[in-house]
Amino acid sequence: MTISKIRIAAASAFAIALFNPAHLYAVPALPNPVQIALKDDPYAWDIIEGLTTEVGQRQGGTEAEARARKWAVEKLTEMQFANVRIETYQMPTWVRGEESASILSPFPQKLAVTALGNSGSTGEAGLEADIVYFPTLAALKAVPDGSLKGKIAFVSHAMKPTQDGSSYGAFGPARFVGPDIAAKKGAAAIVIRSAGTDMHRNPHTGNTNFSEGVKPIPAGALSLPDAENLERILRRTPRGQTVKMKLKLTPRNIGMQESGNVISEVKGSNPDLPPILIACHLDSWDLGTGAIDDGAGCGIVTAAAMHVKQYSRPKRTIRLLWAGAEEVGVWGGKAYAVKHKDEPHALTMESDFGADRVWRVDFKLPESAKSLSDSITADLSELGIARGTAEAGDGADVGPIREAQNLAAIDLAQDGTRYFDLHHTPDDTLDKIDKTQLRQNVAAWTAVLLRLSNYEGDLKMPPKEMKP
Amino acid sequence: MTISKIRIAAASAFAIALFNPAHLYAVPALPNPVQIALKDDPYAWDIIEGLTTEVGQRQGGTEAEARARKWAVEKLTEMQFANVRIETYQMPTWVRGEESASILSPFPQKLAVTALGNSGSTGEAGLEADIVYFPTLAALKAVPDGSLKGKIAFVSHAMKPTQDGSSYGAFGPARFVGPDIAAKKGAAAIVIRSAGTDMHRNPHTGNTNFSEGVKPIPAGALSLPDAENLERILRRTPRGQTVKMKLKLTPRNIGMQESGNVISEVKGSNPDLPPILIACHLDSWDLGTGAIDDGAGCGIVTAAAMHVKQYSRPKRTIRLLWAGAEEVGVWGGKAYAVKHKDEPHALTMESDFGADRVWRVDFKLPESAKSLSDSITADLSELGIARGTAEAGDGADVGPIREAQNLAAIDLAQDGTRYFDLHHTPDDTLDKIDKTQLRQNVAAWTAVLLRLSNYEGDLKMPPKEMKP
């Protein structure tokens, strides 16, 4: 569907809503732009479909991400956002090579593996070594330094799904720091059970980080079924025998490459009010097409801004940040914070947790803005969203500027129950997006942006207390 | 769990059931061996776990299948089946090579592809050609001969799940004969939407067949998400431009190789009664570990035979056929029919449709055996299984001997709703087996085998009527 057709359809729906005589008797609980977003939003899907189909994977620092920026500028221009521009920066870039894993003995078979970001290389010849099994990261940490010399460590910490995504914090470290720890213990390589919650032969990639001075070892993630199979292989191996694996991972560092943020705006009528910064990230991991991570986020925030732009006259500017290179180190978010450090900002929000329904809203606002949070809470309750008690501050890409300027924030928490089924896998594709839940997200964001962009009070946070 | 421990546990359960005083007041509706199978069967899972873990994939004609035969002989011997043996034969063997597909223009990206069995090779250099899209196989059939010269045909017939698996008959032909038809129209290659019902980046392989005299063209299956992405790419490609794909498939024919059937028996007490032949297939496709196709079938039929052997004194011999090389051309089933053509058989049954619950039983029995089918129907009704009206005769592996000898048959139809989510994909792994439904299968088979192995009536079918 083209944008002009979309606009006509949406405008007609709005006209019908406005002139429906039922409105004489019952004022709708939600502002009309929110109702339109909920029932008929075409923008979010159009953006996600476009990005995943016309660009596909778009890893930070690669030519695919550059094509995604070009695509983004064309789309945002077509949608008539203001000040559409690319802000480039340079970043170190790691790219995947060949990857394979197989058990050589006692039960020869192939396993599905993928390299973690920043993994070292086994070289073309691959690496053959015995497996040493660790059921948890704690077990890996517990063995003496040097004890893994010449071995492949296998950490099989089994992640569980949680609605709020908190299990990523509990189980993710096997990926985040497991390879660094194994390297320090002398391991030749490491394979982990993917930090994921599905049962498909699609391993979950994602960055791992080695400490200063530690030489990166080859670090792979096995798909969940393969990790369970390897556990069974270990259990069924006769006493006295070892399990020998051949691992081949040939990623490379290709040095500094260009990446960039795509920025655009909905101009507010009052130039004295600092802008609201809303973000998603444009890059994706290379295995899937980046539908839930984070095409969905760009679709959601942009569609909501579009509804505000079309059906209201915002006083405060809304700035959209489609950040570059989030997955591989939040390079876009960091570059934004450096470049815009001297500009005032009012508040940050980010969408980067798929496209399933929003179930909770959290705030970080000055005391003076109680009426704002109350009216947002009231609007969102109509969408089945409850107020939480956590301090808001989500979003990797807005993190650096939020921290630097101590900014207010609002978080719309999405249902993450199935997010880690798909996260960083080949399976992150358009078909995983539920259109009804996607529209609920757009409606929630529209509701929040309508309130925020018309709020003229001060949103400055009091200075942080210094830790003693 | 070892077999000796399994036997003690099961025997104890049986003893408890026998001497439970409740039995003085209420005779259980199902024979005790069936109840034991339903509640506590350990054998089916043990076989499926063993095959998928200690052997893994076991494609017909390869050394992996030879390892599976060795494994099977050890397992069946350990379980004390009689006359455990391998019957070998020679078969032509096709093996997978490298495989990749990518869109070169207008939207460059990789697609997940796998070669179909018997596919031709693109050669090491791969093949670059324009895509010609066909929404159905009928559309492909409709174009003139020679019209696809130099093109890659893309047939995207979308299969739907059905409980009885009937949609495989409707949508499977895109795979079975699509490549042959495309070759005859002059196509350089073909890619099809996988004959499957999931939405994961795991393409479905499976044999395709080229007519005598037709040179096999490269023939690949795209994963379902990739096929849908390619449809969107075609829809979004500006008028006047073509979609160009690079396809690399390098499978090879490695000539005649040894394969074999593994045969074993539960000896009946009356040698005058012809045996019941129950089958599964030992080989699998190479992408997964062959849990549902057909480790499950071997687990089910063998566990049921084990319950009959342990807890009853069958009059009629039960012969187990773990057939070789089913996927790649039913070579085992054909070899069995040739080798055993002069031996009498009473009836055939086969389990080769996953491990989900049995929901229907169909019969092909002589009129004289009405009491048999009625008593089986009564037993199975206790397991939630209804009697159907179709003529029985399932099972590719027992097909050749059944046809040659016009044998009676009983089919236990399994729920196939999710079977084609997994069929012939990397995702056919142990974790997909539902233990509760697996045990219901074992119980149903045990119930049928108990009745059959104690039925002394004649099971000969009347001669087939000659077609005029």
Side-chain angles (χ1 to χ4, degrees):
Chain A
M1 204 185 273
T2 64
I3 288 297
S4 56
K5 279 190 200 150
I6 290 171
R7 183 167 308 122
I8 291 161
S12 312
F14 186 45
I16 290 162
L18 269 182
F19 299 110
N20 184 332
H23 286 215
L24 298 175
Y25 309 103
V27 177
L30 284 168
N32 267 317
V34 180
Q35 297 199 34
I36 292 168
L38 189 62
K39 287 190 197 127
D40 298 306
D41 173 66
Y43 305 118
W45 184 267
D46 181 62
I47 287 168
I48 308 167
E49 178 177 324
L51 265 177
T52 56
T53 305
E54 297 185 8
V55 183
Q57 76 82 16
R58 43 200 183 275
Q59 190 185 325
T62 69
E63 66 76 35
E65 196 198 31
R67 281 189 279 114
R69 284 194 293 281
K70 183 167 173 288
W71 187 95
V73 165
E74 284 170 12
K75 175 60 64 177
L76 292 161
T77 304
E78 184 193 35
M79 293 175 83
Q80 302 186 352
F81 284 97
N83 299 333
V84 178
R85 62 198 187 273
I86 294 172
E87 294 178 353
T88 60
Y89 48 85
Q90 297 288 310
M91 54 167 283
T93 302
W94 172 99
V95 293
R96 192 175 304 286
E98 285 179 72
E99 36 200 31
S100 62
S102 52
I103 299 302
L104 298 176
S105 65
F107 306 131
Q109 56 193 293
K110 290 183 189 166
L111 303 179
V113 74
T114 199
L116 298 176
N118 296 325
S119 167
S121 172
T122 60
E124 279 301 315
L127 173 76
E128 295 183 14
D130 286 345
I131 291 282
V132 183
Y133 169 63
F134 300 100
T136 62
L137 184 62
L140 174 67
K141 284 179 181 164
V143 296
D145 280 5
S147 64
L148 296 178
K149 203 163 163 54
K151 310 288 189 188
I152 299 176
F154 166 43
V155 180
S156 194
H157 210 180
M159 183 172 168
K160 300 293 179 292
T162 43
Q163 181 168 322
D164 64 0
S166 54
S167 58
Y168 193 46
F171 296 94
R175 189 193 90 213
F176 311 150
V177 300
D180 186 46
I181 295 167
K184 288 172 179 164
K185 307 281 188 189
I190 181 173
V191 290
I192 64 166
R193 178 183 166 118
S194 285
T197 54
D198 60 303
M199 266 294 162
H200 297 289
R201 300 288 297 284
N202 293 312
H204 297 236
T205 190
N207 256 14
T208 190
N209 293 296
F210 292 94
S211 303
E212 192 79 28
V214 172
K215 184 171 185 281
I217 56 173
L222 297 172
S223 86
L224 283 292
D226 289 277
E228 296 204 345
N229 196 20
L230 181 50
E231 289 191 11
R232 287 190 298 269
I233 287 169
L234 286 156
R235 254 194 330 266
R236 284 174 171 254
T237 294
R239 230 173 230 288
Q241 290 184 36
T242 59
V243 175
K244 196 180 278 293
M245 173 181 275
K246 176 163 186 178
L247 182 66
K248 182 175 182 183
L249 303 172
T250 61
R252 294 174 299 137
N253 292 306
I254 56 169
M256 296 302 280
Q257 303 289 325
E258 184 168 277
S259 178
N261 293 318
V262 179
I263 294 174
S264 62
E265 285 169 359
V266 178
K267 288 312 263 182
S269 57
N270 183 347
D272 296 336
L273 296 172
I276 304 152
L277 182 66
I278 63 174
C280 61
H281 65 84
L282 178 57
D283 69 305
S284 73
W285 269 108
D286 59 326
L287 301 176
T289 62
I292 66 148
D293 190 9
D294 185 29
C298 292
I300 289 163
V301 307
T302 309
M306 188 75 178
H307 290 289
V308 170
K309 176 162 81 77
Q310 284 192 289
Y311 305 118
S312 75
R313 300 201 166 269
K315 294 184 175 119
R316 201 185 280 270
T317 290
I318 300 169
R319 181 177 292 173
L320 287 78
L321 168 60
W322 289 22
E326 188 267 355
E327 297 293 0
V328 288
V330 197
W331 299 102
K334 291 175 198 163
Y336 180 90
V338 169
K339 188 170 176 77
H340 298 270
K341 69 180 186 325
D342 298 327
E343 295 168 29
H345 294 79
L347 177 144
T348 65
M349 294 181 70
E350 181 157 343
S351 179
D352 183 18
F353 201 49
D356 282 351
R357 76 188 170 94
V358 176
W359 62 284
R360 196 183 67 195
V361 56
D362 290 301
F363 297 96
K364 180 186 173 189
L365 292 174
E367 290 288 339
S368 60
K370 186 172 179 307
S371 68
L372 176 65
S373 55
D374 286 350
S375 55
I376 288 174
T377 301
D379 285 351
L380 294 181
S381 71
E382 297 287 324
L383 297 168
I385 299 165
R387 183 171 186 159
T389 56
E391 180 178 275
D394 273 357
D397 302 291
V398 294
I401 191 73
R402 190 187 59 235
E403 292 304 309
Q405 299 191 344
N406 186 30
L407 297 174
I410 299 178
D411 294 345
L412 291 173
Q414 294 169 284
D415 182 347
T417 310
R418 66 181 188 125
Y419 184 72
F420 291 102
D421 288 356
L422 307 168
H423 181 244
H424 297 185
T425 74
D427 256 348
D428 180 3
T429 49
L430 182 65
D431 50 278
K432 307 308 183 304
I433 307 270
D434 175 325
K435 284 184 177 177
T436 304
Q437 295 193 68
L438 176 67
R439 284 197 299 266
Q440 189 258 16
N441 270 273
V442 176
W445 274 77
T446 302
V448 174
L449 292 181
L450 279 174
R451 293 287 181 184
L452 270 179
S453 63
N454 285 291
Y455 182 76
E456 294 180 282
D458 193 356
L459 288 169
K460 265 210 199 79
M461 295 302 296
K464 281 187 202 172
E465 283 177 39
M466 299 298 285
K467 295 263 162 69
Chain B
M1 205 183 276
T2 65
I3 287 299
S4 55
K5 279 190 203 150
I6 290 170
R7 182 167 310 120
I8 291 162
S12 312
F14 185 46
I16 291 162
L18 269 182
F19 300 109
N20 184 333
H23 286 213
L24 299 174
Y25 309 104
V27 177
L30 284 168
N32 267 315
V34 180
Q35 297 198 35
I36 292 168
L38 188 62
K39 288 188 194 128
D40 298 307
D41 174 66
Y43 305 117
W45 183 268
D46 179 62
I47 288 168
I48 308 167
E49 178 177 322
L51 264 178
T52 56
T53 305
E54 297 185 7
V55 184
Q57 75 83 15
R58 44 199 184 274
Q59 190 185 325
T62 69
E63 65 77 35
E65 196 198 31
R67 280 189 280 116
R69 284 194 293 281
K70 184 166 172 290
W71 188 95
V73 166
E74 285 170 12
K75 175 61 64 178
L76 292 161
T77 304
E78 185 193 33
M79 294 175 84
Q80 303 187 351
F81 284 97
N83 300 332
V84 178
R85 63 198 186 272
I86 295 172
E87 294 178 353
T88 60
Y89 47 85
Q90 298 288 310
M91 53 166 283
T93 301
W94 171 100
V95 293
R96 191 176 306 285
E98 285 179 73
E99 34 200 33
S100 62
S102 51
I103 300 301
L104 299 176
S105 64
F107 307 131
Q109 57 193 291
K110 290 183 189 167
L111 303 179
V113 73
T114 200
L116 298 176
N118 297 324
S119 167
S121 173
T122 59
E124 279 301 315
L127 173 78
E128 296 183 14
D130 286 344
I131 290 284
V132 183
Y133 169 63
F134 300 99
T136 61
L137 185 62
L140 173 68
K141 285 179 182 164
V143 296
D145 280 4
S147 63
L148 296 178
K149 206 166 160 51
K151 309 289 188 187
I152 299 175
F154 167 43
V155 179
S156 195
H157 208 181
M159 183 171 168
K160 299 294 180 291
T162 44
Q163 182 169 320
D164 65 0
S166 54
S167 58
Y168 193 45
F171 295 95
R175 189 193 91 212
F176 312 148
V177 300
D180 186 47
I181 294 167
K184 288 173 180 164
K185 307 281 188 190
I190 180 173
V191 290
I192 64 165
R193 179 183 166 118
S194 285
T197 53
D198 60 304
M199 264 295 162
H200 298 288
R201 300 287 296 286
N202 293 312
H204 298 236
T205 190
N207 256 14
T208 190
N209 293 296
F210 292 95
S211 303
E212 191 79 28
V214 173
K215 184 170 184 283
I217 56 173
L222 297 172
S223 87
L224 284 291
D226 288 277
E228 294 204 347
N229 197 19
L230 181 49
E231 289 191 11
R232 286 190 298 269
I233 287 169
L234 286 155
R235 255 196 330 266
R236 283 171 172 257
T237 294
R239 230 172 232 287
Q241 290 183 36
T242 59
V243 174
K244 195 178 279 294
M245 174 180 274
K246 176 162 186 178
L247 182 66
K248 182 176 183 183
L249 302 173
T250 60
R252 294 173 299 137
N253 292 306
I254 56 169
M256 297 302 280
Q257 303 290 324
E258 185 168 276
S259 179
N261 293 318
V262 179
I263 294 175
S264 62
E265 284 168 359
V266 178
K267 288 312 264 183
S269 58
N270 183 347
D272 295 336
L273 295 172
I276 304 151
L277 181 67
I278 64 174
C280 61
H281 65 84
L282 178 58
D283 68 306
S284 75
W285 269 108
D286 59 327
L287 301 177
T289 62
I292 67 149
D293 192 10
D294 184 29
C298 291
I300 291 164
V301 306
T302 308
M306 188 75 177
H307 289 289
V308 171
K309 176 162 81 78
Q310 285 193 289
Y311 305 118
S312 74
R313 299 201 167 268
K315 294 184 176 120
R316 200 184 281 272
T317 291
I318 301 168
R319 180 177 291 173
L320 287 78
L321 168 60
W322 289 23
E326 190 265 356
E327 296 294 0
V328 288
V330 198
W331 299 102
K334 290 175 198 161
Y336 180 91
V338 169
K339 188 170 177 73
H340 298 270
K341 68 179 184 332
D342 297 326
E343 296 168 30
H345 295 78
L347 178 144
T348 66
M349 295 181 69
E350 183 157 341
S351 178
D352 183 18
F353 200 49
D356 282 351
R357 76 189 169 93
V358 176
W359 62 283
R360 197 185 65 196
V361 56
D362 290 300
F363 297 95
K364 180 185 173 190
L365 293 174
E367 290 287 339
S368 60
K370 186 172 180 307
S371 68
L372 175 65
S373 56
D374 286 349
S375 56
I376 289 173
T377 300
D379 285 350
L380 294 181
S381 71
E382 298 287 325
L383 297 168
I385 299 165
R387 184 173 185 157
T389 56
E391 182 178 274
D394 273 356
D397 302 292
V398 295
I401 191 75
R402 191 187 59 236
E403 291 304 310
Q405 299 191 346
N406 187 30
L407 297 173
I410 299 178
D411 293 345
L412 291 174
Q414 294 168 283
D415 182 347
T417 310
R418 66 183 187 123
Y419 184 72
F420 291 102
D421 288 356
L422 307 169
H423 181 245
H424 296 184
T425 74
D427 256 347
D428 180 3
T429 48
L430 182 65
D431 50 279
K432 307 308 183 304
I433 306 271
D434 175 326
K435 285 185 177 179
T436 305
Q437 295 192 69
L438 177 66
R439 284 198 298 267
Q440 188 257 17
N441 271 271
V442 177
W445 274 77
T446 303
V448 174
L449 292 181
L450 279 174
R451 293 286 182 186
L452 270 178
S453 62
N454 286 290
Y455 184 77
E456 294 180 281
D458 192 357
L459 287 169
K460 267 209 197 79
M461 294 302 296
K464 281 186 201 173
E465 282 177 39
M466 300 296 287
K467 295 263 163 66

